[in-house]
């Protein structure tokens, strides 16, 4: 089905630009030819239907070609972050039983070592450089694939891993039909057309990048404009702030009409000086997903650029679910989301019974994007989470009389504080309203003998003190919601999508040290008071 999308785009307008990336401008007929040649090369390496091909590449045309060539062979694509550590790459490559790894740049050396050590041995394909024991990507693009393979809707096509610790990660496998509907549902809901040039700033190894950039472009036969991801000398990603000039140039020069992004990117764009030369007037649709979009970010972006950011609700397991298409002037704190085409929603209670209109409960999703096998490696959780043709999101919401969804709380954002359920998204919203705070993240931290406390990690202007932040929060939040721990940081750790890595913010050593110092000071004061008037010389020595 995915290959049929590419063939249709090629037949409809072969000379239309398919990919723009740096100096490369690839037409649809050229893209289709390169995909066929790489498919032929992969088949010559022994890649058969059902085999797994891992792709550890940054955003580049080779990623798109490798993905399309893999699924054209009815094989399974495993996209990986090339910035993963060697241990992370090895875990996913081994779990997916990849027979071929296509990589380059930052991930090449780690993948080269992994390929030589795992058994059975893995074939390595290197992009843009030579590596010992590796096959060159361009060399592999030999004769065209004969394309005798006809993919069916049920063919397994894409491995995705949900967030989780090393021991709890879950793998789903999307079929060709799942991926086709992921594009179809979104495109028909927001009414994208083949003339809507798509800007790709989201990593293509992420489900959001594949679903709402790559697949949307191929389904429509639209142009995908890729913002290159240069690497720093130490191998890390160049900060998004340093790419804003390039982004502004692409929006103007390529006539970008669809800009899918993440909240962090929009907050960075808002931080640009007023005189920064960026104009979003060509853009007709701006979408945010992958994390909570603060109300303040929405309002400031609309005021500065005249463009509403549409929040897209989804998950790895269910793909895109619903999107906010309400009028721009509507209050975003109560703005409902419209379910995508072909997506059914129910609100159920803890026992699984369906609830009525305007009644809060758990959000259950029915969609042709749901992976038929659930979690490949977690049968017990599959039985619990995938039930009756629905996926239990764990999120809390309600449906209005028009079938629109209001999301009350995300399962990842709730924490139990002294018996009360506190929504961390609410805490973060208040923190971001505090004058002087540029970025903020709230999380729950558990301390022995103290229980679970709320910690706030913030990036703030110089001079803003922790007590000022707490005072601001106390005026707007119930006592149980006010952060007990406030940590001022130069920056927040973020994933490749810009999502805050809260798992790296849990350290409370400095807080415990301050408590210990405070207790010691209190003991000294008590001792001085008790000895006052009795032994002056001892008191002066304390």
């Amino acid at each position: 089905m995915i290959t049929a999308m590419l063939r249709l785009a090629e037949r409809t307008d072969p000379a239309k630009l398919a990919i723009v990336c740096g100096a490369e401008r690839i037409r649809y007929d050229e893209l289709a030819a390169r995909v066929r040649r790489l498919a032929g090369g992969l088949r010559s390496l022994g890649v058969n239907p059902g085999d797994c091909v891992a792709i550890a590449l940054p955003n580049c045309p080779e990623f798109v070609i490798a993905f399309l060539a893999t699924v054209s062979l009815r094989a399974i694509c495993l996209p990986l972050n090339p910035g993963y550590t060697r241990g992370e790459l090895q875990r996913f490559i081994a779990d997916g039983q990849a027979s071929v790894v296509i990589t380059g740049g930052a991930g090449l050396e780690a993948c080269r070592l992994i390929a030589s050590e795992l058994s059975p041995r893995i074939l390595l394909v290197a992009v843009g450089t030579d590596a010992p024991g590796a096959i060159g990507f361009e060399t592999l693009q030999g004769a065209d694939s004969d394309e005798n393979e006809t993919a069916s809707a049920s063919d397994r096509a894409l491995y995705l891993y949900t967030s989780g610790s090393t021991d709890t990660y879950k793998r789903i496998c999307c079929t060709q039909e799942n991926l086709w509907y992921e594009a179809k549902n979104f495109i028909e809901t927001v009414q994208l057309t083949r003339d809507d040039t798509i800007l790709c700033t989201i990593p293509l190894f992420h489900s959001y990048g594949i679903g709402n950039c790559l697949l949307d472009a191929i389904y429509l036969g639209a142009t995908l404009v890729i913002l290159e991801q240069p690497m720093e000398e130490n191998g890390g990603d160049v900060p998004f702030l340093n790419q804003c000039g390039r982004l502004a140039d692409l929006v103007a020069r390529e006539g970008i009409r669809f800009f899918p992004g993440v909240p962090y990117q929009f907050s960075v764009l808002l931080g640009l000086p007023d005189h920064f030369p960026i104009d979003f007037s060509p853009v007709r649709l701006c979408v945010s997903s992958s994390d909570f979009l603060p109300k303040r970010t929405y309002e400031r972006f609309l005021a500065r650029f005249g463009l509403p950011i549409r929040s897209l609700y989804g998950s790895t397991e269910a793909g895109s679910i619903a999107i906010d298409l309400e009028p721009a002037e509507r209050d975003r704190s109560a703005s409902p989301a419209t379910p995508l085409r072909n997506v059914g929603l129910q609100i159920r209670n803890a026992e699984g019974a369906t609830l009525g209109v305007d009644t809060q409960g758990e959000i259950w999703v029915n969609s042709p994007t749901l992976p038929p096998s659930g979690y490949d490696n977690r049968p017990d959780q599959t039985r619990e989470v995938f039930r009756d043709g629905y996926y239990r999101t764990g999120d809390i919401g309600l449906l209005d009389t028009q079938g629109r969804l209001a999301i009350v709380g995300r399962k990842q954002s709730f924490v139990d504080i002294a018996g009360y359920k506190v929504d961390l998204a609410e805490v973060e919203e208040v923190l971001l309203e505090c004058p002087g705070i540029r970025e903020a993240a709230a999380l729950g931290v558990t301390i022995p003998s103290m229980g679970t406390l709320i910690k706030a990690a913030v990036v703030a202007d110089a001079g803003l003190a922790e007590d000022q932040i707490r005072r601001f929060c106390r005026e707007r939040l119930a006592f149980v919601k006010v952060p007990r721990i406030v940590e001022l940081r130069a920056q927040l750790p973020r994933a490749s999508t810009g999502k805050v890595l809260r798992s790296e913010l849990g350290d409370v050593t400095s807080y415990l040290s301050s408590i210990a110092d405070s207790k010691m000071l209190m003991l000294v004061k008590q001792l001085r008071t008790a000895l006052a008037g009795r032994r002056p010389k001892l008191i002066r020595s304390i």
Side-chain angles (χ1 to χ4, degrees):
M1 298 180 74
I2 306 303
T3 305
M5 288 161 46
L6 178 60
R7 290 173 184 163
L8 178 60
E10 180 188 15
R11 289 197 304 268
T12 302
D13 191 350
K16 184 177 177 63
L17 280 177
I19 300 174
V20 174
C21 183
E24 286 196 82
R25 304 178 75 83
I26 304 172
R27 305 178 351 162
Y28 263 101
D29 55 356
E30 295 169 337
L31 174 62
R34 292 180 67 176
V35 167
R36 287 192 292 269
R37 290 198 300 270
L38 182 62
L42 291 174
R43 178 179 280 122
S44 71
L45 296 181
V47 175
N48 295 309
D51 289 344
C52 175
V53 175
I55 304 174
L57 291 171
N59 284 9
C60 59
E62 289 80 5
F63 186 105
V64 179
I65 294 165
F67 172 82
L68 294 172
T70 298
V71 298
S72 76
L73 294 175
R74 302 171 60 201
I76 304 169
C77 175
L78 170 58
L80 296 172
N81 183 345
Y84 277 157
T85 64
R86 178 180 168 186
E88 290 171 319
L89 287 168
Q90 182 162 333
R91 172 162 55 89
F92 290 121
I93 290 171
D95 185 78
Q97 299 181 25
S99 59
V100 175
V101 178
I102 302 174
T103 187
L108 179 58
E109 180 58 21
C111 288
R112 188 183 69 80
L113 294 173
I114 293 167
S116 64
E117 293 174 358
L118 287 181
S119 179
R121 192 172 182 277
I122 297 171
L123 297 174
L124 186 69
V125 177
V127 174
T129 186
D130 294 326
I135 303 164
F137 186 85
E138 292 300 328
T139 303
L140 192 60
Q141 295 187 69
D144 282 5
S145 167
D146 56 22
E147 291 194 344
N148 288 332
E149 296 285 356
T150 301
S152 68
S154 61
D155 283 336
R156 290 157 63 87
L158 177 67
Y159 281 148
L160 293 173
Y161 286 87
T162 64
S163 301
S165 68
T166 300
D167 297 325
T168 61
Y169 67 90
K170 301 181 290 290
R171 185 185 74 217
I172 66 167
C173 187
C174 300
T175 64
Q176 298 240 359
E177 182 178 42
N178 292 153
L179 300 181
W180 186 76
Y181 271 108
E182 175 66 18
K184 176 183 174 66
N185 294 354
F186 180 80
I187 286 167
E188 291 186 354
T189 302
V190 302
Q191 298 182 350
L192 284 179
T193 73
R194 63 189 303 271
D195 295 323
D196 289 322
T197 302
I198 302 170
L199 178 61
C200 179
T201 65
I202 308 299
L204 289 170
F205 54 75
H206 191 276
S207 59
Y208 183 26
I210 288 180
N212 295 102
C213 293
L214 193 160
L215 289 176
D216 284 354
I218 302 302
Y219 184 99
L220 289 166
T223 302
L224 182 67
V225 178
I226 297 175
L227 178 66
E228 294 174 282
Q229 293 179 305
M231 306 292 287
E232 293 184 323
E233 291 184 2
N234 62 4
D237 291 334
V238 170
F240 180 71
L241 177 62
N242 295 351
Q243 300 182 62
C244 288
R246 176 64 176 155
L247 183 147
D249 175 63
L250 289 175
V251 170
R253 180 161 53 83
E254 304 299 338
I256 300 299
R257 288 174 55 82
F258 174 33
F259 175 21
V262 295
Y264 170 68
Q265 293 176 329
F266 297 120
S267 67
V268 169
L269 290 168
L270 283 171
L272 296 173
D274 291 339
H275 62 271
F276 192 90
I278 187 166
D279 178 14
F280 281 105
S281 58
V283 180
R284 77 171 189 87
L285 179 63
C286 200
V287 170
S288 174
S289 191
S290 184
D291 205 354
F292 169 73
L293 179 71
K295 177 182 176 183
R296 186 179 73 165
T297 301
Y298 175 91
E299 292 174 341
R300 291 177 60 207
F301 198 89
L302 179 62
R304 177 168 178 176
F305 299 113
L307 187 64
I309 304 172
R310 304 302 187 178
S311 289
L312 177 65
Y313 169 56
S315 70
T316 302
E317 293 89 342
S320 300
I321 297 171
I323 188 169
D324 166 23
L325 295 176
E326 296 300 303
E329 64 275 8
R330 180 167 181 150
D331 178 11
R332 308 330 280 181
S333 61
S335 184
T338 301
L340 299 192
R341 294 281 181 89
N342 305 306
V343 175
L345 299 179
Q346 289 186 355
I347 305 298
R348 301 192 188 187
N349 62 18
E351 289 72 40
T354 304
L355 302 176
V357 171
D358 293 332
T359 305
Q360 288 188 21
E362 184 180 6
I363 303 169
W364 290 49
V365 180
N366 172 265
S367 172
T369 59
L370 298 183
S373 58
Y375 298 123
D376 276 2
N377 56 353
R378 293 288 184 272
D380 291 342
Q381 293 184 41
T382 294
R383 287 189 288 271
E384 177 65 22
V385 174
F386 293 89
R387 293 170 51 184
D388 309 325
Y390 281 79
Y391 165 65
R392 298 180 56 183
T393 66
D395 298 330
I396 306 302
L398 55 86
L399 294 173
D400 65 14
T401 55
Q402 298 179 54
R404 298 174 302 182
L405 174 69
I407 302 168
V408 178
R410 302 296 295 267
K411 61 182 176 182
Q412 301 95 335
S413 69
F414 281 101
V415 64
D416 192 292
I417 305 292
Y420 294 90
K421 291 292 185 184
V422 176
D423 187 354
L424 296 174
E426 179 187 4
V427 178
E428 291 179 1
E429 188 76 59
V430 170
L431 287 167
L432 288 169
E433 291 173 357
C434 179
I437 290 183
R438 300 194 299 274
E439 300 177 47
L443 63 153
V445 292
T446 301
I447 302 174
S449 77
M450 297 182 69
T452 301
L453 308 175
I454 293 180
K455 175 182 177 180
V458 301
V459 178
D461 295 339
L464 186 63
E466 297 175 18
D467 287 344
Q468 292 175 282
I469 296 172
R470 289 196 191 89
R471 190 181 311 119
F472 183 89
C473 291
R474 281 196 296 269
E475 294 172 354
R476 292 159 178 80
L477 292 170
F479 176 77
V480 71
K481 301 177 182 179
V482 176
R484 288 279 298 278
I485 307 171
V486 177
E487 179 184 353
L488 298 172
R489 299 174 63 101
Q491 61 182 15
L492 299 181
R494 295 185 179 274
S496 54
T497 59
K499 194 171 185 177
V500 174
L501 296 172
R502 289 172 176 79
S503 60
E504 298 184 13
L505 294 173
D507 182 63
V508 294
T509 304
S510 60
Y511 174 71
L512 294 177
S513 297
S514 67
I515 292 177
D517 292 343
S518 298
K519 287 182 177 178
M520 181 60 69
L521 181 61
M522 183 179 297
L523 287 172
V524 170
K525 288 182 178 179
Q526 290 173 347
L527 182 58
R528 289 169 66 95
T529 301
L531 296 177
R534 297 182 183 180
R535 303 174 70 175
K537 291 183 179 179
L538 177 60
I539 294 173
R540 282 195 297 271
S541 67
I542 295 177

